[in-house]
PDB file of all heavy atoms in Angstrom:
ATOM      1  N   ILE B 404     -23.524  41.709  12.221  1.00  0.00           N
ATOM      2  CA  ILE B 404     -24.927  41.864  11.635  1.00  0.00           C
ATOM      3  C   ILE B 404     -25.837  40.926  12.353  1.00  0.00           C
ATOM      4  O   ILE B 404     -25.538  39.663  12.429  1.00  0.00           O
ATOM      5  CB  ILE B 404     -24.944  41.448  10.180  1.00  0.00           C
ATOM      6  CG1 ILE B 404     -23.916  42.291   9.403  1.00  0.00           C
ATOM      7  CG2 ILE B 404     -26.347  41.595   9.512  1.00  0.00           C
ATOM      8  CD1 ILE B 404     -23.703  41.785   7.900  1.00  0.00           C
ATOM      9  N   GLU B 405     -26.876  41.446  12.958  1.00  0.00           N
ATOM     10  CA  GLU B 405     -27.742  40.559  13.779  1.00  0.00           C
ATOM     11  C   GLU B 405     -28.671  39.629  13.038  1.00  0.00           C
ATOM     12  O   GLU B 405     -28.779  38.536  13.471  1.00  0.00           O
ATOM     13  CB  GLU B 405     -28.531  41.432  14.795  1.00  0.00           C
ATOM     14  CG  GLU B 405     -27.888  41.586  16.120  1.00  0.00           C
ATOM     15  CD  GLU B 405     -28.819  42.397  17.067  1.00  0.00           C
ATOM     16  OE1 GLU B 405     -29.943  42.359  17.034  1.00  0.00           O
ATOM     17  OE2 GLU B 405     -28.091  43.181  17.866  1.00  0.00           O
ATOM     18  N   ASP B 406     -29.217  40.211  11.992  1.00  0.00           N
ATOM     19  CA  ASP B 406     -30.117  39.489  11.262  1.00  0.00           C
ATOM     20  C   ASP B 406     -29.457  38.362  10.374  1.00  0.00           C
ATOM     21  O   ASP B 406     -28.554  38.647   9.640  1.00  0.00           O
ATOM     22  CB  ASP B 406     -30.944  40.416  10.369  1.00  0.00           C
ATOM     23  CG  ASP B 406     -31.986  39.672   9.526  1.00  0.00           C
ATOM     24  OD1 ASP B 406     -31.711  39.075   8.429  1.00  0.00           O
ATOM     25  OD2 ASP B 406     -33.146  39.621  10.012  1.00  0.00           O
ATOM     26  N   GLU B 407     -29.970  37.121  10.625  1.00  0.00           N
ATOM     27  CA  GLU B 407     -29.274  36.013   9.996  1.00  0.00           C
ATOM     28  C   GLU B 407     -29.359  36.041   8.442  1.00  0.00           C
ATOM     29  O   GLU B 407     -28.406  35.733   7.707  1.00  0.00           O
ATOM     30  CB  GLU B 407     -29.937  34.702  10.492  1.00  0.00           C
ATOM     31  CG  GLU B 407     -28.969  33.512  10.307  1.00  0.00           C
ATOM     32  CD  GLU B 407     -29.606  32.277  10.834  1.00  0.00           C
ATOM     33  OE1 GLU B 407     -30.384  32.293  11.873  1.00  0.00           O
ATOM     34  OE2 GLU B 407     -29.448  31.224  10.147  1.00  0.00           O
ATOM     35  N   ASN B 408     -30.549  36.439   7.923  1.00  0.00           N
ATOM     36  CA  ASN B 408     -30.671  36.431   6.489  1.00  0.00           C
ATOM     37  C   ASN B 408     -29.676  37.471   5.871  1.00  0.00           C
ATOM     38  O   ASN B 408     -29.067  37.297   4.771  1.00  0.00           O
ATOM     39  CB  ASN B 408     -32.087  36.848   6.072  1.00  0.00           C
ATOM     40  CG  ASN B 408     -33.021  35.708   6.359  1.00  0.00           C
ATOM     41  OD1 ASN B 408     -32.603  34.582   6.356  1.00  0.00           O
ATOM     42  ND2 ASN B 408     -34.307  36.087   6.690  1.00  0.00           N
ATOM     43  N   LEU B 409     -29.580  38.655   6.497  1.00  0.00           N
ATOM     44  CA  LEU B 409     -28.702  39.694   5.992  1.00  0.00           C
ATOM     45  C   LEU B 409     -27.293  39.247   6.032  1.00  0.00           C
ATOM     46  O   LEU B 409     -26.465  39.416   5.147  1.00  0.00           O
ATOM     47  CB  LEU B 409     -28.923  40.999   6.773  1.00  0.00           C
ATOM     48  CG  LEU B 409     -30.206  41.727   6.576  1.00  0.00           C
ATOM     49  CD1 LEU B 409     -30.392  42.882   7.524  1.00  0.00           C
ATOM     50  CD2 LEU B 409     -30.247  42.309   5.175  1.00  0.00           C
ATOM     51  N   ARG B 410     -26.990  38.537   7.192  1.00  0.00           N
ATOM     52  CA  ARG B 410     -25.605  38.089   7.335  1.00  0.00           C
ATOM     53  C   ARG B 410     -25.230  37.108   6.226  1.00  0.00           C
ATOM     54  O   ARG B 410     -24.249  37.138   5.615  1.00  0.00           O
ATOM     55  CB  ARG B 410     -25.500  37.389   8.787  1.00  0.00           C
ATOM     56  CG  ARG B 410     -24.107  37.341   9.299  1.00  0.00           C
ATOM     57  CD  ARG B 410     -24.119  37.020  10.775  1.00  0.00           C
ATOM     58  NE  ARG B 410     -24.893  35.817  11.100  1.00  0.00           N
ATOM     59  CZ  ARG B 410     -25.724  35.776  12.118  1.00  0.00           C
ATOM     60  NH1 ARG B 410     -25.963  36.778  12.801  1.00  0.00           N
ATOM     61  NH2 ARG B 410     -26.301  34.602  12.293  1.00  0.00           N
ATOM     62  N   ASP B 411     -26.218  36.180   6.010  1.00  0.00           N
ATOM     63  CA  ASP B 411     -25.920  35.162   4.902  1.00  0.00           C
ATOM     64  C   ASP B 411     -25.802  35.832   3.558  1.00  0.00           C
ATOM     65  O   ASP B 411     -24.969  35.376   2.759  1.00  0.00           O
ATOM     66  CB  ASP B 411     -27.146  34.252   4.835  1.00  0.00           C
ATOM     67  CG  ASP B 411     -27.152  33.279   6.042  1.00  0.00           C
ATOM     68  OD1 ASP B 411     -26.163  33.228   6.821  1.00  0.00           O
ATOM     69  OD2 ASP B 411     -28.209  32.597   6.222  1.00  0.00           O
ATOM     70  N   GLU B 412     -26.549  36.804   3.380  1.00  0.00           N
ATOM     71  CA  GLU B 412     -26.467  37.574   1.983  1.00  0.00           C
ATOM     72  C   GLU B 412     -25.042  38.159   1.942  1.00  0.00           C
ATOM     73  O   GLU B 412     -24.416  38.070   0.856  1.00  0.00           O
ATOM     74  CB  GLU B 412     -27.427  38.754   1.951  1.00  0.00           C
ATOM     75  CG  GLU B 412     -28.885  38.349   1.722  1.00  0.00           C
ATOM     76  CD  GLU B 412     -29.266  38.745   0.313  1.00  0.00           C
ATOM     77  OE1 GLU B 412     -28.398  39.213  -0.539  1.00  0.00           O
ATOM     78  OE2 GLU B 412     -30.438  38.641  -0.057  1.00  0.00           O
ATOM     79  N   ILE B 413     -24.544  38.822   2.964  1.00  0.00           N
ATOM     80  CA  ILE B 413     -23.269  39.411   2.876  1.00  0.00           C
ATOM     81  C   ILE B 413     -22.147  38.309   2.730  1.00  0.00           C
ATOM     82  O   ILE B 413     -21.264  38.411   1.906  1.00  0.00           O
ATOM     83  CB  ILE B 413     -22.944  40.198   4.218  1.00  0.00           C
ATOM     84  CG1 ILE B 413     -23.898  41.360   4.288  1.00  0.00           C
ATOM     85  CG2 ILE B 413     -21.485  40.591   4.341  1.00  0.00           C
ATOM     86  CD1 ILE B 413     -23.704  42.553   3.391  1.00  0.00           C
TER      87      ILE B 413
END
Side-chain angles (χ1 to χ4, degrees):
Chain B
I404 304 170
E405 264 181 36
D406 184 274
E407 200 182 324
N408 290 331
L409 289 172
R410 204 165 53 225
D411 290 348
E412 283 251 11
I413 295 290

